[in-house]
Each structure stands twice: as structure tokens, then as C-alpha cells.
Amino acid sequence: MDRIAIVGGAQLNGEIPISGAKNSAIKLMAASLLTDQPLRLTNMPRLADTRFLGRLLQRLGAEVVERDGEAGAETVLRTSEIVSAIAPYDLVRQMRASFNVLGPLVARAGHAKVSLPGGCTIGARPVDLHLKALEALGASIDLHEGYVYAQAPRGLKGAEIEFPFVSVGATEHTLLAAVLADGETVIRKAACEPEIGDLAECLTAMGAQIEGAGTPTIRVKGVARLGGATHSVIPDRIETGTFALAAAMAGGEVRLTKTRSDFIEALLLKMEEAGVGIARAADSVTIKRDSAKRLKAVTFDTEPYPGFPTDLQAQFMALMTLADGESVIRESIFENRFMHAPELARLGAEITVQGGEARVTGVEKLFGAQVMATDLRASVSLVIAGLAARGETVVNRVYHLDRGFERLEAKLSACGADIRRVRDNSEEL
Ligand code: EPZ
């Protein structure tokens, strides 16, 4: 299995272009099931997760063409007809977001059978809010042998839906179903993440009528059919934040281009509080840090957008391992998202975890070691720590990184990092 080897100590200087957002792209791809016309998505990231979803969509009847357009990678999806409304366990288990095909399949075909995703390494992650919303829209839902059977033979009907708490996935899923429902749907306590606005913009370009996306109340007037569209995927705010934290960890000056600094304002404010220099521009952000000066420990809680994102918690924790003082990090979105703490400890970090709270006492130095993590963001936090650790850090189970970061090693090494992929065909012990 491939590994990433990093020799710490090199500063980062230069520019890193940010890719299209993974968590937007996969929902936009699912939207292509709602029409028989082509949906052309530009600024597409090329990732294991997008390839994987492409394969599932093909099984459902989509034609998926990946190509290089004038403005970079694009994907054209066309589902002239739904040939199967079944998403099997093996496919949903490998990528939870596959579950989001349920709503579009019911809305377009009137029925679907989709495997329940089950828990994952960051928490139980139930889908009860998704199912309640689909029921409110008039679908009958039955659960048998790990599958959701949904039926709405006469179509979905608009409804008032108030979520008990914010869920990105449930908000997106409800939008994906409500656009073809008969009548008006109001979604209250909707998630406000930029990916919701992106999905709504794409659906609107396809002919949907949506107001208020990006605010806690979204109104959708259902339409009888949607058409094709061309839509550019928003920049990946988590990739932006990750490279911002990598630059802060290694020191130097890095300009992150093709991105939006307003998407990560909560992060940038915390980085400034810690002593990192930030210069915001219209479509870029520059991170500057003198590595001779120690950063200050800062404290934060993860929250729904516009709060500090849970998907940057692990990476910020890596930065705090070398800061001066104690940082208290509270994870309020997922119940088990500190799996990186014991791995960071292998590099010499001092972290104690109790329930949803981690206390990081900054140390003077980290030392390279073999590490591995159980999810995407945790894995990249180990890469960030490795950039500043003495000696070599080897991050195992690289497939997590390939799911969500496009050309990670190439982007970092172009700025001076000593990082390489080690191809290894030998058996793991
Ligand atoms: C999305 O997950 C992202 N995934 C996650 O990124 C991200 O961490 C998360 O939003 C929060 O920002 C994708 O977009 C593919 P939620 P999602 O529904 O939609 C609970 C990454 O690394 N909940 O907002 O699954 C849930 O268990 C990934 O890219 C229910 O209880 O997150 C969690 O505690 C990891 N019932 C909380 O709500 C439900 O029906 C928020 O989850 C749905 C959610």
C-alpha cells in the first residue's frame, strides 16, 4: 500500500492553486440524476471519491464523461433514463455520500432501494433526518435488511420541514428531492455551508426555483422537470484551510489561488490570533509565518458554518502541537473525531482527550515517526505535523488522502516541501 514520506524542516514558499470542492462536486454529480439532459460540471476535482460516485451513477443509468475543458477538468453527466434505482451496500459503504442518490431517484423514478450507510470512524452518523425529510415530502419509507425502500409513485409533494439541528447532508438531500416535488417546500434550520449555496445555484441553472440557500430558511417551488446546465464547482474551502495550516506549520509565504478566503474566515481569524500573517484578496489568500517565532496556543469549538469547520479541526490541532501554551479544542459536530490525537502523540505531541474535548500542550519539537489515520482529514493533519517534525514521518494508508486531496504531494513539493509517495507492493504485517 502506498505511503507518504515527509522530511520535516523545509519552509513553504510559492503558490498553490486550489481545486474544486469535493463535498460540493459529489452532490452536484448526484443532481444529474434529476434530468435527462446533460449536466456539465467545470472546475471538477479529480479524486477517488468523484471517480467512485461516477461509477455508481453509471450503474443507475448515467453516462459520465471526464475531460479536460478550457478551464481545467470537467465532467459531463447525462442520465437519459434511470436504468436501475438500486444503490447496493458495497457502493454506499465505501462512500457515505452515495446515500444522497436516494432523494433524486425517488423524485425522478418514483422509487429507490438504497443501502443504509452505517457508522464510520468519526461517529455513528445516522441518516434519520434525511429519511424524515423524504417522508415529509410524501415518500413512503421502509427499512429491511439494511436497505431503505422508498416509494412515491405519484411524485413527491412540497412540505414544511424543520430540522432539529443543522445537517449539511440532510439539507442537501432535501433540496435534491424538493426541486421536483409538487408545490412549495420550506426547509427551516437549514445548513448554511457554501456547498449548499453551490448546489442551489446549480439546481437553479437547471431550472429549479430556490430562494434563501445559504440562510437557515430555504424555500423551494417544485417544478415539473429540470433541464441541463453548465456549472462551475466552488473552490474547496477545506483544501484551502489545509494548505493555509500547512504553510503556517512549516513557515514561509504561500499564496493560495483560485479560492475564496471568505469561506474560511473563522479559520483565518483563529490563525491570526495564533500569530500567523494573513492577507486576503478577491480570489486568493496569502499565509505568512516566520518559523523562528513560536505561535500562540488558541482555543476553539467546531461549529456549523460560518463557525470553525470540523473538517479543519485535526489540521489545526497539528498546528497547536508546537504552539506556546495550552489549546483547548472542542469537537461539537462528530462524537469520535479525535482519532488523530494518538497518532500526533507518536510524533511527540502532548494531547489529552476527554469526551468531546482535547487539550494540546505545545511542545518545542516534534520528531518524525510512522503514523496512520482512519479518515481523510486526520490523515492530512499528520502530513502537516510531518512538515515541521525533525526527521522523516511516514504516513500510511494513503488511500484516505487520495479520496479528498488532488495532487497533495505535487502541490506541497512545488512550494519546497520534502514530500514523496512511496509505492510499496510488499505485504503489510
Ligand atoms: C458533511 O457530512 C461533510 N461530508 C463532512 O465532511 C463534514 O464534516 C460535515 O458535513 C459537517 O460539516 C460531505 O459533504 C460528503 P452532517 P454530513 O449531516 O452531511 C448528525 C469530509 O471529511 N446527523 O452535517 O454527513 C451527524 O451524525 C467529511 O469531507 C444525524 O444525527 O454531516 C453529525 O453528528 C467528513 N442525523 C451532525 O448531524 C442525520 O440524519 C452533522 O452531520 C444527519 C446527521
Side-chain angles (χ1 to χ4, degrees):
M1 202 177 284
D2 289 1
R3 296 143 202 249
I4 298 273
I6 308 136
V7 179
Q11 289 211 340
L12 297 184
N13 286 290
E15 279 194 7
I16 300 182
I18 298 302
S19 302
K22 167 183 85 85
N23 286 347
S24 215
I26 50 187
K27 319 303 166 52
L28 296 167
M29 289 172 75
S32 69
L33 291 173
L34 292 165
T35 175
D36 59 5
Q37 295 300 303
L39 176 63
R40 176 171 160 245
L41 298 173
T42 61
N43 196 34
M44 274 293 284
R46 293 281 181 248
L47 301 166
D49 271 9
T50 51
R51 270 194 302 278
F52 182 81
L53 184 60
R55 283 204 292 277
L56 169 61
L57 294 174
Q58 280 169 331
R59 276 173 75 146
L60 305 178
E63 205 183 298
V64 181
V65 178
E66 291 190 345
R67 62 188 191 200
D68 285 325
E70 279 158 33
E74 57 182 55
T75 302
V76 182
L77 304 108
R78 181 171 195 168
T79 316
S80 305
E81 173 181 19
I82 305 278
V83 298
S84 160
I86 302 174
Y89 174 66
D90 269 355
L91 296 182
V92 180
R93 181 182 55 86
Q94 284 179 54
M95 191 179 72
R96 297 181 55 82
S98 305
F99 185 70
N100 274 35
V101 300
L102 175 65
L105 285 175
V106 183
R108 173 127 171 242
H111 62 99
K113 175 185 169 188
V114 175
S115 170
L116 282 164
C120 77
T121 52
I122 61 175
R125 301 185 80 184
V127 287
D128 53 324
L129 303 186
H130 300 232
L131 298 181
K132 280 195 188 120
L134 287 175
E135 272 182 329
L137 292 171
S140 72
I141 305 276
D142 287 304
L143 303 182
H144 289 300
E145 295 166 347
Y147 277 85
V148 178
Y149 291 77
Q151 302 273 350
R154 281 186 292 281
L156 297 171
K157 294 216 171 355
E160 292 257 340
I161 294 163
E162 176 158 351
F163 290 122
F165 52 86
V166 170
S167 161
V168 176
T171 302
E172 290 165 336
H173 209 160
T174 308
L175 260 181
L176 283 166
V179 284
L180 285 183
D182 181 22
E184 192 182 56
T185 297
V186 183
I187 310 171
R188 297 188 205 281
K189 246 189 223 165
C192 300
E193 270 67 5
E195 292 75 22
I196 309 282
D198 200 33
L199 177 61
E201 199 178 289
C202 176
L203 290 168
T204 303
M206 292 164 73
Q209 293 191 19
I210 303 170
E211 269 175 32
T215 75
T217 306
I218 305 178
R219 287 172 198 279
V220 183
K221 268 204 192 109
V223 295
R225 62 180 299 278
L226 293 174
T230 293
H231 177 81
S232 172
V233 182
I234 53 167
D236 195 313
R237 64 195 166 95
I238 306 303
E239 190 198 14
T240 311
T242 299
F243 285 127
L245 288 162
M249 189 70 168
E253 185 168 337
V254 175
R255 186 161 162 256
L256 306 170
T257 61
K258 291 177 63 192
T259 191
R260 296 257 310 256
S261 65
D262 56 323
F263 285 172
I264 50 160
E265 190 53 25
L267 167 75
L268 296 179
L269 290 173
K270 281 291 157 194
M271 289 178 69
E272 283 175 323
E273 198 184 318
V276 181
I278 310 279
R280 299 158 177 81
D283 58 359
S284 71
V285 57
T286 303
I287 312 300
K288 197 170 172 182
R289 153 112 204 271
D290 172 0
S291 46
K293 270 205 231 135
R294 212 161 165 207
L295 293 178
K296 224 173 72 207
V298 295
T299 284
F300 67 93
D301 295 10
T302 62
E303 287 170 343
Y305 191 83
F308 192 102
T310 173
D311 288 346
L312 289 170
Q313 179 258 107
Q315 301 89 313
F316 205 103
M317 186 186 284
L319 184 69
M320 291 295 97
T321 59
L322 288 176
D324 186 17
E326 185 186 64
S327 161
V328 182
I329 301 176
R330 286 180 214 96
E331 172 56 57
S332 69
I333 309 291
F334 292 109
E335 63 272 25
N336 189 27
R337 211 175 192 183
F338 287 133
M339 304 288 273
H340 41 284
E343 296 302 305
L344 289 168
R346 292 176 58 77
L347 302 176
E350 278 185 26
I351 305 169
T352 53
V353 173
Q354 224 176 13
E357 188 176 284
R359 286 177 182 266
V360 187
T361 306
V363 292
E364 298 267 349
K365 290 182 188 107
L366 295 176
F367 296 92
Q370 294 261 350
V371 285
M372 96 165 97
T374 44
D375 81 273
L376 166 63
R377 312 303 176 185
S379 300
V380 85
S381 78
L382 301 173
V383 173
I384 291 178
L387 290 171
R390 308 238 156 158
E392 189 177 63
T393 298
V394 178
V395 182
N396 294 284
R397 289 209 187 146
V398 161
Y399 64 86
H400 287 301
L401 292 169
D402 293 338
R403 290 188 59 174
F405 289 96
E406 191 174 45
R407 301 187 302 110
L408 179 78
E409 316 91 89
K411 288 184 182 187
L412 285 172
S413 60
C415 287
D418 184 342
I419 179 169
R420 65 187 202 288
R421 182 175 291 247
V422 183
R423 304 223 179 252
D424 185 346
N425 298 319
S426 64
E427 289 263 314
E428 295 280 337
L429 290 177

